[in-house]
Amino acid sequence: MTTPAHDIRLVVLDMAGTTVADGGLVERAFGTAAQELGVEPGTADHDEKLSYVRATMGESKITVFRHLFGDEDRAQRANTAFETAYGELVDGGLIAPIPGARETIEELAATGRTVVLTTGFSRVTQDAVLDALGWRDLVPLTLCPADAGGRGRPYPDMVLEAFLRTRSADAVRQIAVVGDTSYDVLSGVRAGAGLVAGVRTGAHGDDAFREAGAGHVLDSVAELPTLL
């Protein structure tokens, strides 16, 4: 059953690629993490691992590293190196809001809707991004996989955690989920969200969104208020 757009009470938005433009910092930070684990740039192994990182944008980063490096110790080492490298790039001023993102969030809040920001990054990385943008007080709640029991996208856990914590919606069909990857879309579909949309400002495109079950594809998050 499709939920009337005007009945949406909770809006769950992804960060990097959806509300935040990071200019490919994930790939740069991955390169640093890969070298830490002895994977040299230009090798077939590096190219294969980078392709996997690109394909799984939106998924919890520690889950990605567990797949790439096998044992838990190597995965944790890679994840720590990634977080450090990404944090340094963020501190260097290399991220910015997607045009219109802050205004969109403020407009949604002004209409009485609750907005929650989610990420596949760790809390320390998420906080670094929020601080760099001056977004600490922009929304009432931000979530990373650890805040939802450890499972990130494509599981529905962060969306459902937002639903439970904010108590801003009476039913999951009053939730909208918006992101730039098929993993964002899948998490919304699995959570039973009434509106699930992909945006063309990040990692994945229309075909991936539709295949994952998106009901809408937007040029950017700035189009969301009009849709609602």
Side-chain angles (χ1 to χ4, degrees):
M1 183 177 69
T2 302
T3 300
H6 63 79
D7 198 34
I8 295 296
R9 308 310 309 155
L10 171 63
V11 182
V12 180
L13 301 177
D14 170 54
M15 292 181 65
T18 303
T19 54
V20 181
D22 73 357
L25 298 194
V26 168
E27 292 188 16
R28 289 174 61 177
F30 165 75
T32 300
Q35 280 194 284
E36 179 81 14
L37 274 293
V39 180
E40 292 300 323
T43 63
D45 186 28
H46 183 278
D47 292 346
E48 183 180 329
K49 284 179 168 58
L50 179 57
S51 293
Y52 185 81
V53 168
R54 288 170 175 159
T56 56
M57 287 289 191
E59 190 174 356
S60 169
K61 292 299 174 282
I62 184 60
T63 302
V64 172
F65 288 128
R66 283 175 181 140
H67 174 90
L68 290 177
F69 295 107
D71 69 85
E72 186 67 15
D73 178 63
R74 283 169 59 79
Q76 291 292 345
R77 281 176 55 205
N79 194 56
T80 299
F82 172 88
E83 288 176 0
T84 300
Y86 193 92
E88 289 173 354
L89 291 166
V90 166
D91 290 342
L94 296 178
I95 63 167
I98 292 287
R102 184 184 184 108
E103 294 80 0
T104 292
I105 293 167
E106 291 172 340
E107 185 174 344
L108 293 171
T111 62
R113 296 180 171 97
T114 299
V115 180
V116 174
L117 294 173
T118 63
T119 186
F121 295 140
S122 69
R123 169 53 62 184
V124 65
T125 306
Q126 184 176 33
D127 284 347
V129 173
L130 293 168
D131 286 340
L133 296 176
W135 279 14
R136 278 283 191 162
D137 300 319
L138 184 59
V139 297
L141 180 65
T142 62
L143 295 171
C144 67
D147 299 322
R151 292 202 312 181
R153 311 177 192 110
Y155 295 103
D157 301 28
M158 286 194 291
V159 178
L160 297 175
E161 188 73 15
F163 173 74
L164 291 170
R165 287 206 201 182
T166 64
R167 299 187 177 185
S168 56
D170 297 327
V172 291
R173 65 177 181 275
Q174 293 178 318
I175 305 172
V177 176
V178 182
D180 69 299
T181 73
S182 59
Y183 289 85
D184 295 299
V185 170
L186 270 173
S187 71
V189 170
R190 290 174 175 179
L195 189 154
V196 181
V199 291
R200 299 184 177 113
T201 50
H204 296 162
D206 292 29
D207 290 345
F209 295 143
R210 297 296 188 191
E211 187 175 335
H216 305 271
V217 179
L218 309 175
D219 284 337
S220 86
V221 72
E223 293 185 353
L224 186 58
T226 300
L227 178 61
L228 294 178

